[in-house]
Amino acid sequence: VVLTTELMGEAIRDREILGLFSANHERLVDGLAGLLEAGQRAGVFRAQDDTGETAAIMLDAIEGYATRMVLGMRAPKGG
């Protein structure tokens, strides 16, 4: 999370880093969307109109939660 935050700051100033950061984010979203689609085909998840958007929101939630933990704003449970 700390590295991600530092990279985001650098990406604002450096287009090359922005491209790498964006490509990595896109791969993560695509992978998660693929898992959601596979789950839909298997009947595990309800059908959705836009698995890519759902995946992006889920990744945002995961990254936001991790950031709050690092900042001490939320303590991990059970450990």
Side-chain angles (χ1 to χ4, degrees):
V1 172
V2 174
L3 180 58
T4 298
T5 303
E6 289 178 12
L7 284 172
M8 288 172 59
E10 286 298 318
I12 292 168
R13 295 181 289 278
D14 187 325
R15 292 302 220 192
E16 184 177 353
I17 292 174
L18 176 60
L20 295 170
F21 187 82
S22 296
N24 183 61
H25 188 267
E26 187 175 324
R27 280 192 299 275
L28 290 170
V29 169
D30 288 347
L32 186 51
L35 289 172
L36 292 171
E37 291 164 7
Q40 288 174 4
R41 287 190 300 275
V44 176
F45 301 130
R46 266 184 279 166
Q48 305 168 38
D49 290 333
D50 190 346
T51 55
E53 184 65 20
T54 301
I57 291 168
M58 291 173 68
L59 185 57
D60 288 345
I62 292 166
E63 290 174 341
Y65 183 82
T67 299
R68 286 192 312 275
M69 283 180 55
V70 166
L71 293 174
M73 296 168 63
R74 181 156 188 107
K77 293 182 180 179

